[in-house]
Amino acid sequence: MAQKEYESALVQAENEIQEATLKNVGMELHDNVGQLLSVAKMQLRSGLSLLPDDKKETFKEALETVDLSLTEVRQLSKIVNSEVLANMDLQAAIQVEIDRLNRFSHTNSTLTVTGEPIFIEEREKIIIFRIVQECCSNVIKHAEAQHLVINISYEEKHLHIMIKDDGIGYNTHDNKLGSGLINMQRRAEMIHAQLVAHSKQGHGTEITLTYQPSPK
């Protein structure tokens, strides 16, 4: 029991350190990098107005690139900052992540929601989001999937999240879990949630998270 409590406290400390780091990164992205891109955007617009028409095309393309970069930085700053996430509902936060993935990856990601949302404490909501975020990241990096589907299903006292891809899958009998899956399982244990992964080589992966809010 003492060993289990120690491991739980260690995971909690690691999570708090990570969230503090992500918060700082989010603020840096929003306040500094975002500001620099905004200045670059204004400078390009100013320079564009001074050029003859036959010289404007290159500047227009550069302006569009900076504009897209600014949008990406703003969205990224939201999903790494736990304080911002705390003010968003779970569905909205996951949708921001889905939109971001669709902008820069070749995987078509979609989100569906069924049922009426249930109350989730801020800390546990952030942990659930980080699990989904980690899973999405693993799919984009390793699965070689064309499609990623996330379904949030609210029931009276439970929350089920299913994350499914049509990628290359992996051998579940290998017993060599990647660090991403280990991190997700450890986070799930922190909120007494159940995380189950099913996969078959060549047939994609399905991960299911089942969560029940702590009684008041």
Side-chain angles (χ1 to χ4, degrees):
M1 180 63 71
Q3 178 66 23
K4 189 172 182 179
E5 290 178 352
Y6 170 76
E7 291 176 354
S8 179
L10 185 60
V11 172
Q12 175 69 22
E14 290 175 351
N15 187 71
E16 290 174 354
I17 291 170
Q18 185 183 56
E19 287 300 331
T21 302
L22 288 171
K23 176 185 174 182
N24 289 334
V25 170
M27 293 174 63
E28 194 73 19
L29 285 171
H30 184 273
D31 296 340
N32 293 338
V33 180
Q35 184 64 29
L36 287 171
L37 287 171
S38 294
V39 171
K41 183 178 176 180
M42 288 188 293
Q43 290 173 333
L44 283 170
R45 278 184 172 169
S46 177
L48 189 62
S49 64
L50 300 176
L51 291 174
D53 290 342
D54 61 340
K55 302 291 184 180
K56 287 184 177 181
E57 193 58 37
T58 299
F59 266 69
K60 285 181 179 179
E61 292 176 0
L63 182 59
E64 289 174 359
T65 300
V66 171
D67 199 31
L68 287 172
S69 299
L70 183 57
T71 298
E72 181 63 24
V73 166
R74 285 172 174 167
Q75 295 294 345
L76 191 58
S77 70
K78 291 180 181 179
I79 61 174
V80 298
N81 190 329
S82 57
E83 288 188 356
V84 175
L85 287 173
N87 293 319
M88 302 173 68
D89 61 45
L90 182 62
Q91 177 182 341
I94 293 176
Q95 187 62 61
V96 169
E97 177 72 354
I98 289 290
D99 293 342
R100 190 180 71 85
L101 294 177
N102 282 332
R103 282 195 299 273
F104 77 80
S105 77
H106 297 295
T107 303
N108 180 35
S109 303
T110 57
L111 171 66
T112 60
V113 181
T114 58
E116 293 295 323
I118 59 176
F119 174 77
I120 305 174
E121 291 185 359
E122 288 182 3
R123 169 185 169 275
E124 298 187 351
K125 178 178 66 178
I126 291 169
I127 290 173
I128 292 170
F129 174 78
R130 294 296 181 214
I131 292 171
V132 174
Q133 189 178 42
E134 182 83 33
C135 185
C136 290
S137 177
N138 287 343
V139 172
I140 299 303
K141 289 179 181 178
H142 307 298
E144 301 178 21
Q146 292 185 337
H147 300 93
L148 168 65
V149 177
I150 301 177
N151 176 256
I152 301 174
S153 178
Y154 292 104
E155 298 184 7
E156 185 178 355
K157 296 181 179 180
H158 293 81
L159 166 67
H160 298 282
I161 299 179
M162 184 272 292
I163 307 168
K164 186 176 183 179
D165 70 74
D166 59 357
I168 59 176
Y170 62 91
N171 185 357
T172 56
H173 301 293
D174 197 350
N175 293 325
K176 293 181 180 179
L177 299 178
S179 59
L181 186 55
I182 292 173
N183 286 339
M184 287 189 285
Q185 289 177 329
R186 292 173 70 189
R187 288 181 188 271
E189 290 172 1
M190 290 175 61
I191 57 175
H192 307 290
Q194 182 182 15
L195 188 142
V196 179
H198 295 286
S199 187
K200 185 178 180 181
Q201 287 182 323
H203 295 276
T205 300
E206 179 175 318
I207 291 179
T208 304
L209 177 73
T210 303
Y211 161 82
Q212 181 176 359
S214 302
K216 298 296 179 183

